[in-house]
Amino acid sequence: MLDSHVHLWDPRQLDYPWLPGTVLDRPFLPEDLEPLLPSAAGVVFVEAGRVPRQAGAEVEWIRDAARTRPWIRGAVAHVSLEAGSSTRDLIRRHGEDPFVVGVRRNIQDEAAGFTADPGFRTGVRLLGDAGLPFDACVRAGQLVELDELAAACPQTAIVLDHLGKPAVGGTGDAAWRRALEQLGRHPNLVCKLSGLATEAGPGDASPELLRRYLRVALEVFGPDRCLFGSDWPVLTQATDYTAWLDLVLDALAGQSAQAVDAVLRGNAARVYQLPDDPYGKDLA
């Protein structure tokens, strides 16, 4: 199995502006995650919202951890893509680094129109030139913008995090589904089956309800364009690792063994172009 979306952080090492005052304001380290993983599982680390100036330090911190934990297969790094062409050299270096397998600029709290900014779109296109996918963390109301971004940057693979963060149990399900169906028409876009439980309102995180959302994503994108992700440790606010994995497996009931393998492993390996040895023989 490959978990395409985990976070690790240590507020003693790096600064995370969003953490203070939350129940997550403590270190979540590789040794905390490892006992929760199924046997022989690998993970993709996704940037965890440290201050932008520490993005390079975050990659090096997780790279150091991965040298003794080969189940950490690669990192999705932060890049301030809105800086446009000035990110060219950094993106090129990331593209040449076998451990950096993607880039995320979290845009869920940006103002409307952020993704239409010419500088931002230049940055996203540069990712395509470097062979790096873009992880798009957006809210449901931003899916129309993401549709426009995918059309404007067809050579860049875009990974939709957390099914686009629908308001689970809310009133916007029809609009979310329509937007998701529009996104499904873009061959450069895939979807992570992650982060859903924490989007549910109080009392709305029933397995039956969450399964319905997962099955919509599977129907829209097909099992060849969906990736399992836990969103650990954020998911601990609503559920636990095993329960989320079981829920995704339940949503996959009736699919072929090949389709299940694609969602749980193969699609993440393909999208992130995961190397067998991300460190090189001298550092393995």
Side-chain angles (χ1 to χ4, degrees):
M1 195 187 84
L2 283 170
D3 184 337
S4 69
H5 201 104
V6 305
H7 302 291
L8 300 164
W9 58 73
D10 189 347
R12 302 165 301 185
Q13 302 290 330
L14 301 170
D15 300 318
Y16 304 87
W18 63 277
L19 267 182
T22 73
V23 297
L24 299 171
D25 189 11
R26 66 172 181 84
F28 284 88
L29 305 173
E31 52 264 39
D32 301 317
L33 174 59
E34 189 166 16
L36 307 177
L37 296 173
S39 176
V43 307
V44 174
F45 166 83
V46 177
E47 65 87 19
R50 82 305 70 222
V51 293
R53 69 177 182 278
Q54 294 177 342
E58 182 179 47
V59 170
E60 295 313 308
W61 175 68
I62 197 65
R63 191 197 308 271
D64 286 345
R67 285 191 169 99
T68 56
R69 298 170 180 88
W71 50 268
I72 303 176
R73 299 288 303 280
V76 175
H78 168 87
V79 173
S80 297
L81 295 171
E82 65 272 28
S85 59
S86 66
T87 64
R88 187 183 305 274
D89 287 345
L90 175 59
I91 289 172
R92 177 185 53 77
R93 291 196 299 273
H94 281 334
E96 294 171 351
D97 183 343
F99 187 66
V100 176
V101 297
V103 162
R104 183 167 88 157
R105 166 58 164 93
N106 193 326
I107 55 180
Q108 66 178 7
D109 294 323
E110 297 298 338
F114 182 83
T115 61
D117 177 78
F120 181 79
R121 289 193 174 181
T122 294
V124 173
R125 291 186 183 109
L126 287 171
L127 293 179
D129 294 342
L132 291 168
F134 168 60
D135 259 60
C137 187
V138 299
R139 302 191 190 279
Q142 297 171 298
L143 292 177
V144 173
E145 281 195 35
L146 188 63
D147 172 49
E148 296 168 352
L149 181 70
C153 306
Q155 302 307 312
T156 301
I158 297 176
V159 185
L160 175 62
D161 291 350
H162 315 326
L163 292 82
K165 292 199 164 188
V168 175
T171 60
D173 284 2
W176 168 75
R177 178 167 185 143
R178 286 194 301 270
L180 211 66
E181 289 172 345
Q182 186 65 31
L183 289 173
R185 299 173 185 174
H186 297 286
N188 58 320
L189 203 144
V190 299
C191 180
K192 284 185 181 177
L193 306 182
S194 61
L196 198 58
T198 49
E199 297 303 313
D204 287 330
S206 70
E208 294 78 11
L209 178 61
L210 296 177
R211 259 195 307 271
R212 290 207 298 268
Y213 287 83
L214 291 169
R215 285 176 174 155
V216 168
L218 284 163
E219 178 184 339
V220 169
F221 291 98
D224 58 333
R225 292 167 61 199
C226 288
L227 291 66
F228 169 77
S230 68
D231 197 28
W232 188 90
V234 180
L235 95 163
T236 62
Q237 298 173 100
T239 186
D240 62 52
Y241 197 103
T242 300
W244 178 250
L245 175 57
D246 287 346
L247 186 63
V248 174
L249 288 171
D250 285 347
L252 288 166
Q255 299 280 353
S256 69
Q258 182 179 5
V260 173
D261 179 68
V263 173
L264 296 184
R265 182 195 61 82
N267 296 338
R270 182 188 76 248
V271 170
Y272 289 118
Q273 302 177 66
L274 295 178
D276 292 331
D277 176 9
Y279 319 111
K281 293 181 179 178
D282 294 338
L283 295 177

